[in-house]
Amino acid sequence: MRRLSVVIIGHNSWPYLEKNLASLRFLAGDPQAEIIYVDNASTDATLREIRRLHPHVTVLENRSNAGISAARNRGIRRAGGEYTWLLDSDTEASPAALEAMLSFMDHHPEAGLCGCKLYGQDGRIQESCRRFPTICGKLKAAWRILTRRRGKAPLGSAPDSGYDLDADRPFEVDYLIGACQLFRRTAQEKTGLLDERIFYGPEDADFCLRMRQSGYKVFYLPHVSMFHAYQRLSSHRVFSLINLRHLQGLAYYFRKHRSKGTVKK
């Protein structure tokens, strides 16, 4: 068994994937690592360029855009590593962050999943570790977006995760966004795959919640970091198909978990 499988998905994402895969070149010659890319029916240069520049990457093609959960599940099923590292196409990997996460998982068998600090193009730390979604919280977030678009809220306003994102040691969290999730294979097998009834959001919260229900913990590592451009699809237009898919995913999540948004510790 390999030590690590990296799973990346994309749809017409070559401008981001070009940097993402370049940042993973340190794994190209490692026999204990594999990189799997699952393509959601791209029509740009993605597939041609990956095969030309990164022949070591295993490419899986979907004939249609299957959504985030289904695409990632295809990569997870193909993965043969002790650990699987889910990465968004708009991240840039850090060898130091990966080494720290793997070491943490090796020394903390109670941890099913972990992730590191993410920062964006503006240099700010992103809220990559969060409390479980609640209906009230999502309504407040939607109101913030609407008022910001009308110029009534500062552009930098964002919901408070409730965590110290700049702490000096790892700590347990409710969930980590799917941009960077490293999990152990045995924990995933006990938890199950991502819920494919969620096309886009909040599949990451659902996965972490179920992992915790399976007896594992989820940790955030603030002492190491990576870059994340955060091409949030649902933020471009208020009324769009992807926003509708996101709302449908949230409605399903709240029905599934009876709107509690928490698990008993």
Side-chain angles (χ1 to χ4, degrees), residues 107-210:
H107 290 89
H108 294 83
E110 76 279 11
L113 183 152
C114 78
C116 67
K117 181 189 296 180
L118 300 178
Y119 64 93
Q121 294 166 315
D122 58 3
R124 295 181 179 180
I125 301 172
Q126 298 174 352
E127 291 188 319
S128 57
C129 60
R130 302 176 180 176
R131 304 289 184 183
F132 287 122
T134 63
I135 294 176
C136 182
K138 288 299 180 181
L139 289 174
K140 288 180 179 178
W143 177 251
R144 272 191 293 266
I145 292 173
L146 290 172
T147 54
R148 186 170 63 220
R149 289 177 182 274
R150 294 174 182 174
K152 297 180 180 180
L155 292 177
S157 63
D160 183 3
S161 70
Y163 295 114
D164 180 4
L165 303 178
D166 210 15
D168 58 0
R169 63 183 61 187
F171 56 87
E172 188 179 355
V173 299
D174 280 359
Y175 82 99
L176 295 163
I177 64 172
C180 175
Q181 291 183 341
L182 178 76
F183 55 81
R184 65 179 79 247
R185 182 187 186 94
T186 51
Q188 179 272 310
E189 289 174 342
K190 186 175 180 181
T191 300
L193 295 165
L194 299 176
D195 192 329
E196 296 187 10
R197 285 166 289 189
I198 303 175
F199 183 92
Y200 171 70
E203 78 291 332
D204 44 12
D206 175 79
F207 184 58
C208 289
L209 191 155
R210 289 187 291 114

Side-chain angles (χ1 to χ4, degrees), residues 40-60:
N40 262 336
S42 292
T43 56
D44 65 356
T46 295
L47 293 172
R48 181 181 72 246
E49 292 302 303
I50 290 178
R51 291 186 171 115
R52 182 176 71 88
L53 298 172
H54 305 280
H56 58 283
V57 174
T58 298
V59 176
L60 305 178

Side-chain angles (χ1 to χ4, degrees), residues 2 14 24 37 74 76 93 135 148 158-159 162 188 200-201 224 230 233 242:
R2 288 187 173 91
W14 179 243
L24 287 165
Y37 170 69
R74 188 175 181 189
I76 292 170
I135 294 176
R148 186 170 63 220
Q188 179 272 310
Y200 171 70
V224 285
Y230 203 34
L233 300 176
I242 196 65

